[in-house]
Amino acid sequence: MKNLDRRSFLKVAAAGVSASTLGASQVKGAEIKLDENRIGVLVDTAVCVGCRLCEWACRTAHHLPTDALETYADDSVFKEFRRPDKTALTVVNEFENEKNPLLPIHVKTQCMHCEKPACVSACIVGALTKNQDGSVVWDGDKCIGCRYCMVACQFQIPTYDYDVSIDPQIRKCDFCEDRRKEGLLPACVNICPNEALIFGKRCDVLKIAKERIKRKPEVYVNHIYGENEIGGTSWMYIASKDFDKLKMATLGSSPAPGISEAIQHGIFAYFVPPVTLYTLLGTFMWVLKRRKEKSPEEIGDTKKEVIEEKKDEKGEEL
Amino acid sequence: MNPEPVKHKFLTPGVFILIVLALNGLVFLAIRFIWGLGAVTNLDNYTPWGLWIGVDVGAGVALAAGGFTSAALGHIIHREHYHAIVRPALLTAMLGYTFVAFAVMVDIGRFYYIWHPLIMWNGNSALFEVGICVMIYLTVLYIEFLPIVCERFMGRVNLPGFLKAFNKPVDKLLTVLNSALGKTMFIFIIAGVVLSTLHQSSLGTLMVIAGQKMHPLWQTPVLPLLFLLSAIAVGFPMIIFESLIAARSFKMKPEMHILSKLGGMVAPILGVYFAFKIGDLFISEDFKYLMKFDTNAFMYFGECVLTLTAFFMFLSRRVLNSPLLLFIASTLVIAGVLLNRINNFIVAYNPFFDPNTYFPSFGEISVTVGCIAMLVLAYRFIVLNFPVISQEKS
């Protein structure tokens, strides 16, 4: 490095800078334009009776192992709080109803299909996609199993296969992508005997939710869970009890990936900050090197060592 | 004072213990790769990241920061005085990042797809940025280390058997490579520093997206800055720590004339880091959580006590001139940053309605300890065989 003249330094440095700017145009956060008619589901927990047919239908539709349909009438499973796992993309939990103890509240849990999903923003390889129709789906051909989506998801929905080493799956509700392609309703919505699940355009579903609350203010709390939570979700809930008492996290209305993406894009704004830093450091290095080569005795504390080192080293020391 | 392979035997009782620890880790690694993550770890759907991400990756990257801070000091700011520490620091960084990459491979579920981020890009993802930067930086570190390999073998190439015919061409190749690297090395050195500042900070961005699942004492938008500052702050103490251990292990005289000066720079950097950390706490008014005196508050206090004690120690001249005190002060900084990473990735992560608090399993700890043992063994092997450490002629 010592025997380098100024011109070749500049030449190589320029090559380095241009190499690092390559691809700057490729890394950009692609904004998905959401369809105005994107889909949504309203879960009316006051209507749901906890029959768990949706759990059976979901397992069947996704080829997950399931017990016989009759066994789903057994309501002893409600004794413990359950979450989706590798065997179930959706589960129903039961909560006490203080207003009417004979009619406990049932809450179905599945992926909320966020309007601005944290998992999609977080995924290292873009294995999770937000579709125009509103659904959020996972691509097993890309996924590396890092589980960052699980860290990012505010609803703690994606689950992981901890028991296999080869081809472990990230599992979550896919809004029955395959069924909808054939013009069918999502399996859970299709089977629900009480119409506790209302499928439609998100905007229509939201209207229905508002009407129901307006019509029966004595039944419902005035809160549509999912209307604004972390920027809004495709699945929305109405209930007769505060949502935090139904073990649904109290979340703000700003989109989950917001701050993280802002920082990320700030650091990487078209690669300007890294390239600037590179150039600055390069200039700095070159100026200091020249100054030192010209007159080592001017540089305060290290002059002795510099001279000594120059004597006993033969050119290269890195 | 040129670097030379250290003349010392490889096996000692300490080394034997390290080998046992490494083997123990390998057993659990085998179990992980045969039966999956669940067979070894305590991770579940609530807590997808544990010890391996928090310590092996989070703390590992921070503790390998000595590589880029010393490169900046020795080559960019051009303080030749410090050249003796550049190579050991480079070796630590190289081995440290190799260890990090290996840990990532162990932790990710579909390890055979580890190359996917190279061609599947998501510019929104902080993890993507960390992944790509670490991959490139690891390559840069290997390139920076190449001259040491060239130097070791130039003029000494002695291939066995029929390969003897290649002795000359290989030697020639090494010489050409060495001189080409010598001319272009500054590109890699600067790139190394830039890449380090990028991924050290992005590592902090990682947990920002966890939002409310992250305890407010640690969750802050300035997390990337705090990660970068703490990484810079721990760089020199880590070099001092290693240098003193190596001196003791190989029965050499500690390089106090360099280490004291290096130590002199720690207090200001540590001070800036701590000022930002506490400043953020007061601006966000999260100090109210400290009054709760729960685990989170206790762990936060722990970080502060370690960092502050080290800060005041590094201010004292007596500490800087005493190998023992300098060693203690450096250890405190390392412990403080290690605890900070554990807190950020593990303690602060409180999933909603989680029925059981995560604590790493024996298997997870074994793998982490085993990997560290392998790293130390590799370090020992390399300094015994390659010109890394400069010794004073006594």
Side-chain angles (χ1 to χ4, degrees):
Chain A
M1 236 160 81
K2 289 253 158 79
N3 47 10
L4 204 67
D5 66 296
R6 179 179 159 182
R7 185 173 297 167
S8 64
F9 185 105
L10 288 176
K11 237 185 346 208
V12 193
V17 171
S18 55
S20 64
T21 45
L22 270 182
S25 54
Q26 289 164 32
V27 184
K28 253 186 268 171
E31 263 312 304
I32 339 122
K33 264 258 165 69
L34 287 177
D35 201 318
E36 262 180 45
N37 294 326
R38 62 187 179 275
I39 52 174
V41 173
L42 175 67
V43 183
D44 191 336
T45 59
V47 173
C48 177
V49 293
C51 68
R52 295 172 57 228
L53 289 183
C54 52
E55 288 186 19
W56 177 84
C58 178
R59 283 200 179 96
T60 311
H62 293 92
H63 312 292
L64 291 167
T66 171
D67 293 333
L69 184 56
E70 303 84 67
T71 60
Y72 281 76
D74 173 21
D75 59 6
S76 66
V77 291
F78 288 137
K79 276 182 200 145
E80 58 179 302
F81 179 66
R82 296 179 304 147
R83 296 284 307 169
D85 57 24
K86 62 179 180 177
T87 66
L89 308 183
T90 186
V91 290
V92 179
N93 282 297
E94 189 175 87
F95 295 90
E96 211 179 306
N97 184 356
E98 287 83 0
K99 286 182 196 163
N100 188 351
L102 291 175
L103 285 176
I105 302 166
H106 294 97
V107 181
K108 178 181 182 293
T109 308
Q110 76 296 307
C111 173
M112 303 287 280
H113 297 272
C114 300
E115 299 268 273
K116 301 206 169 67
C119 58
V120 172
S121 167
C123 181
I124 180 168
V125 287
L128 287 148
T129 323
K130 174 78 176 168
N131 291 328
Q132 279 191 331
D133 68 7
S135 59
V136 177
V137 293
W138 175 76
D139 178 356
D141 290 336
K142 287 185 175 175
C143 178
I144 65 168
C146 70
R147 309 185 299 290
Y148 190 32
C149 52
M150 299 167 72
V151 173
C153 179
Q154 293 298 296
F155 302 105
Q156 309 181 119
I157 290 301
T159 64
Y160 176 78
D161 250 348
Y162 284 100
D163 301 325
V164 293
S165 177
I166 301 299
D167 202 28
Q169 308 277 311
I170 291 285
R171 288 204 181 87
K172 71 169 205 67
C173 160
D174 59 356
F175 229 138
C176 278
E177 209 187 13
D178 294 341
R179 282 177 59 95
R180 286 191 297 109
K181 268 183 204 152
E182 295 168 22
L184 299 169
L185 283 171
C188 55
V189 176
N190 192 45
I191 204 165
C192 184
N194 272 20
E195 292 185 14
L197 305 174
I198 298 152
F199 176 87
K201 293 182 196 170
R202 185 180 189 267
C203 51
D204 294 344
V205 161
L206 190 59
K207 258 184 233 154
I208 297 172
K210 281 178 180 160
E211 272 164 26
R212 288 197 180 183
I213 292 176
K214 210 167 131 193
R215 222 170 46 214
K216 290 187 182 167
E218 73 284 359
V219 173
Y220 298 105
V221 291
N222 189 14
H223 181 183
I224 303 170
Y225 192 91
E227 182 185 7
N228 299 313
E229 267 74 12
I230 56 167
T233 57
S234 305
W235 281 67
M236 289 170 284
Y237 291 73
I238 50 176
S240 57
K241 197 168 165 180
D242 280 339
F243 286 99
D244 60 329
K245 295 194 182 97
L246 301 173
K247 292 208 174 182
M248 294 173 83
T250 310
L251 300 164
S253 60
S254 49
I259 302 171
S260 171
E261 284 188 11
I263 297 171
Q264 209 42 27
H265 293 198
I267 295 177
F268 274 95
Y270 298 97
F271 277 79
V272 172
V275 173
T276 313
L277 180 62
Y278 193 102
T279 320
L280 269 177
L281 286 175
T283 320
F284 200 53
M285 184 175 180
W286 178 64
V287 169
L288 286 178
K289 201 165 100 80
R290 274 204 10 158
R291 222 177 63 180
K292 201 157 281 188
E293 272 165 4
K294 264 187 185 166
S295 50
E297 56 281 348
E298 280 170 23
I299 319 294
D301 60 345
T302 56
K303 62 177 179 186
K304 249 191 164 167
E305 288 89 359
V306 171
I307 296 167
E308 274 171 12
E309 258 181 65
K310 288 224 160 144
K311 268 185 212 157
D312 63 32
E313 73 187 8
K314 293 174 187 87
E316 204 37 67
E317 76 284 292
L318 185 99
Chain B
M1 233 187 76
N2 274 340
E4 276 166 25
V6 177
K7 286 182 191 71
H8 200 279
K9 64 177 192 291
F10 185 77
L11 270 176
T12 60
V15 170
F16 183 73
I17 294 172
L18 288 175
I19 292 173
V20 171
L21 290 174
L23 289 175
N24 177 51
L26 286 175
V27 170
F28 284 97
L29 267 180
I31 298 175
R32 178 259 171 272
F33 280 111
I34 298 170
W35 287 290
L37 283 167
V40 174
T41 68
N42 278 347
L43 300 173
D44 56 23
N45 287 331
Y46 285 99
T47 315
W49 282 2
L51 184 74
W52 292 346
I53 292 292
V55 172
D56 301 22
V57 178
V61 167
L63 297 183
F68 91 94
T69 52
S70 67
L73 183 71
H75 294 295
I76 294 182
I77 312 184
H78 251 282
R79 294 294 164 102
E80 266 98 351
H81 182 67
Y82 296 107
H83 271 181
I85 52 127
V86 170
R87 279 189 176 189
L90 170 65
L91 176 60
T92 317
M94 187 182 82
L95 292 174
Y97 274 89
T98 309
F99 163 72
V100 167
F102 181 69
V104 168
M105 171 116 172
V106 171
D107 189 80
I108 65 171
R110 302 163 157 237
F111 49 90
Y112 40 88
Y113 282 161
I114 195 166
W115 51 274
H116 272 186
L118 284 176
I119 53 164
M120 300 169 191
W121 293 9
N122 177 11
N124 286 331
S125 168
L127 189 62
F128 170 75
E129 205 265 288
V130 173
I132 285 287
C133 274
V134 167
M135 276 193 215
I136 305 175
Y137 185 48
L138 188 57
T139 315
V140 166
L141 285 169
Y142 285 136
I143 294 174
E144 284 186 39
F145 195 78
L146 267 181
I148 300 177
V149 180
C150 291
E151 197 179 296
R152 165 72 177 78
F153 290 109
M154 268 191 309
R156 266 175 275 185
V157 181
N158 191 10
L159 298 167
F162 72 97
L163 290 171
K164 250 188 183 126
F166 293 103
N167 277 354
K168 266 225 171 104
V170 170
D171 201 53
K172 179 91 183 148
L173 193 74
L174 285 176
T175 317
V176 172
L177 185 66
N178 195 35
S179 93
L181 283 173
K183 287 201 183 90
T184 50
M185 191 49 79
F186 71 96
I187 298 177
F188 299 110
I189 289 167
I190 306 173
V193 176
V194 174
L195 287 165
S196 293
T197 49
L198 289 177
H199 72 255
Q200 290 285 1
S201 54
S202 291
L203 208 56
T205 321
L206 272 191
M207 294 310 280
V208 170
I209 205 164
Q212 293 179 41
K213 286 196 275 180
M214 179 106 161
H215 194 276
L217 277 174
W218 289 277
Q219 180 63 287
T220 157
V222 297
L223 215 47
L225 181 66
L226 294 179
F227 264 59
L228 178 62
L229 289 174
S230 53
I232 297 175
V234 81
F236 296 151
M238 194 66 196
I239 295 172
I240 297 172
F241 177 81
E242 271 168 39
S243 179
L244 289 173
I245 289 188
R248 198 180 166 86
S249 172
F250 297 130
K251 314 239 165 11
M252 301 181 309
K253 216 174 122 216
E255 307 253 18
M256 284 310 285
H257 61 289
I258 304 177
L259 299 185
S260 310
K261 273 200 171 161
L262 212 53
M265 287 183 279
V266 174
I269 313 172
L270 211 52
V272 171
Y273 161 57
F274 197 70
F276 270 96
K277 191 171 169 66
I278 296 303
D280 172 67
L281 188 69
F282 278 85
I283 291 168
S284 62
E285 295 184 4
D286 287 335
F287 50 83
K288 55 178 183 269
Y289 295 101
L290 283 178
M291 302 305 153
K292 285 190 174 170
F293 297 106
D294 56 359
T295 316
N296 292 301
F298 176 75
M299 295 302 261
Y300 194 93
F301 270 127
E303 264 182 57
C304 295
V305 168
L306 288 169
T307 313
L308 264 187
T309 316
F311 173 73
F312 286 116
M313 282 187 80
F314 272 111
L315 280 180
S316 138
R317 206 76 327 262
R318 226 187 97 221
V319 172
L320 294 181
N321 291 326
S322 142
L324 178 67
L325 292 175
L326 194 58
F327 182 78
I328 294 171
S330 301
T331 312
L332 288 176
V333 181
I334 293 165
V337 173
L338 178 66
L339 186 60
N340 175 263
R341 297 307 192 258
I342 292 176
N343 285 344
N344 271 298
F345 286 101
I346 303 172
V347 177
Y349 190 76
N350 298 310
F352 308 120
F353 318 115
D354 188 356
N356 33 1
T357 313
Y358 166 83
F359 193 85
S361 68
F362 181 74
E364 280 175 279
I365 298 170
S366 294
V367 169
T368 298
V369 170
C371 287
I372 296 171
M374 285 190 266
L375 188 144
V376 176
L377 290 173
Y379 185 95
R380 191 176 173 90
F381 175 80
I382 293 177
V383 297
L384 289 179
N385 289 290
F386 289 88
V388 173
I389 295 182
S390 311
Q391 278 171 278
E392 268 179 287
K393 289 177 191 86
S394 47

